[in-house]
Amino acid sequence: MEILVKRYGPDFFSPIQSMFKKVALLAAEYHFSEHNVPDSHLAKRILQPLQKYLSQLILLLRQASPIERWALEEETEGESIFEIYEEMLPPFRPSSTEIAVSHTLNTREIREARMPDANNLLLVYEKNVLHCELPAGALTIYQTPALTWAGMQAGKSVFYEDSGFVNYDWLNKKWEYEMLPDFDYRILSPDRDVSLLFDIRKKCALTFLEPMDRLSVSAMDTTGKHAILMDMEANGGIYELKSGWRKVDSKSLDWYGFPEKPPVATEETGRSKSRAVALWCENSDFKMLAFGKLINGASPLAFFYEDIKAACFSPDGNHLFLCREEDCLRYDIENHSKSVVLKKSP
């Protein structure tokens, strides 16, 4: 293993290691089962993907440089996972729902918080999007379907809903109904219990290789280029969606050590009430919020016990926006200080 790492580097060997582990786990599951007979349900469930992953492993070993999992999937395409889930996915077309300015929020239940640039904050509710312009705090409310963030491109925020995709030009406050030619329409499974990544344009799906139980943490970053997926035991990590490979193993992080300076959140101890998940990635640097803990890769920086509904990082990763039932706070990561951005959603 050390020889391979020295020859090809860790970035090349890590995908091979992930694929090898997947093959080994499937083989072990089949071998030690009491029902491993030909043509059984178990054989169909395990042997078909095992054959595919073995072929992909061989292709990986033949490469002189890393290859995307999407390319491997095309080379070894078998039974399409996409077809199984296609009915629950948004179609590859513009949304058919017209969006207009509204005067009130239908609910205060926030689905997502996003900061596309340093001066704009978008709060996504069940049937609304609230656009807050910083630092003045000017607010615009839109009546929308239940939108989910898919990423950004060329000054546009891309969302999807049941009928398709819609783009928001936040600088000009315009909703546009067109498919962007160079955008990767890749989304996480709308079923939060399923650890799958879908390419809507190509009608292709990837299963994440690392073993995870029922998903507890599932979220994209604001750019739409990375995602964090973990179960309750923190199995999983940060994934690069373009390549399909895991970038950070969450088990390698220190989830329990805090700096000498006590965290600034609340003085209560115990399990966090926070359900919010947020991720920021840039090159090899990353920050995340999960299980109420703010982590910068080395160790937790703060523990938030309170009930945070949604959260997002600023584009530079220096601030974390925390949305609660009645307000939205800006948390300065370096100075461990908080300030109110929005007081009581309108």
Side-chain angles (χ1 to χ4, degrees), residues 8 14 33 39 44 62 71 83 169-170 177 202 216 235-236 239 278 283 288-290 293 315 322 327-328 330:
Y8 297 107
S14 179
S33 172
D39 299 323
K44 293 178 181 178
R62 289 175 176 174
E83 292 177 359
D169 178 347
W170 66 85
Y177 302 85
K202 295 181 179 179
S216 175
N235 296 304
Y239 294 81
N283 301 321
M288 70 167 74
L289 174 70
K293 295 181 179 180
L322 306 168
D327 57 19
C328 184
R330 187 204 316 256

Side-chain angles (χ1 to χ4, degrees), residues 106-222:
N106 291 347
T107 174
R108 293 185 177 183
E109 187 67 26
I110 300 176
R111 290 164 54 91
E112 293 183 276
R114 299 292 178 177
M115 195 175 192
D117 65 21
N119 299 313
N120 292 275
L121 177 65
L122 304 179
L123 303 183
V124 184
Y125 294 78
E126 190 65 33
K127 296 294 182 181
N128 299 100
V129 168
L130 174 62
H131 179 179
C132 177
E133 298 172 84
L134 304 174
L139 303 179
T140 306
I141 303 173
Y142 297 97
Q143 184 76 36
T144 70
L147 296 178
T148 302
W149 187 270
M152 298 190 308
Q153 181 175 294
K156 298 177 183 180
S157 300
V158 182
F159 296 90
Y160 68 88
E161 50 104 3
D162 290 343
S163 69
F165 291 82
V166 62
N167 313 315
Y168 181 56
D169 178 347
W170 66 85
L171 294 179
N172 297 302
K173 296 184 180 180
K174 291 172 54 180
W175 292 90
E176 300 174 351
Y177 302 85
E178 61 179 3
M179 306 305 289
L180 304 178
D182 299 322
F183 185 77
D184 293 322
Y185 286 91
R186 293 173 181 153
I187 68 171
L188 301 177
S189 172
D191 182 351
R192 298 301 183 183
D193 291 344
V194 178
S195 54
L196 289 172
L197 175 64
F198 296 98
D199 188 315
I200 304 298
R201 185 194 294 272
K202 295 181 179 179
K203 291 194 172 184
C204 185
L206 291 182
T207 301
F208 293 98
L209 298 177
E210 289 69 30
M212 288 179 271
D213 291 330
R214 182 176 178 179
L215 280 180
S216 175
V217 171
S218 174
M220 274 190 181
D221 70 353
T222 299

Side-chain angles (χ1 to χ4, degrees), residues 4-21:
L4 288 171
V5 172
K6 287 180 180 178
R7 179 177 178 183
Y8 297 107
D11 291 340
F12 176 72
F13 189 69
S14 179
I16 293 177
Q17 191 177 37
S18 296
M19 189 66 73
F20 180 80
K21 286 181 178 179

Side-chain angles (χ1 to χ4, degrees), residues 26-40:
L26 286 172
E29 183 180 355
Y30 181 74
H31 178 74
F32 292 108
S33 172
E34 298 178 356
H35 308 286
N36 58 348
V37 294
D39 299 323
S40 67

Side-chain angles (χ1 to χ4, degrees), residues 248-267:
V248 177
D249 182 354
S250 53
K251 281 292 191 180
S252 67
L253 308 179
D254 180 5
W255 289 91
Y256 302 102
F258 281 100
E260 292 183 4
K261 187 174 182 178
V264 180
T266 71
E267 296 180 357

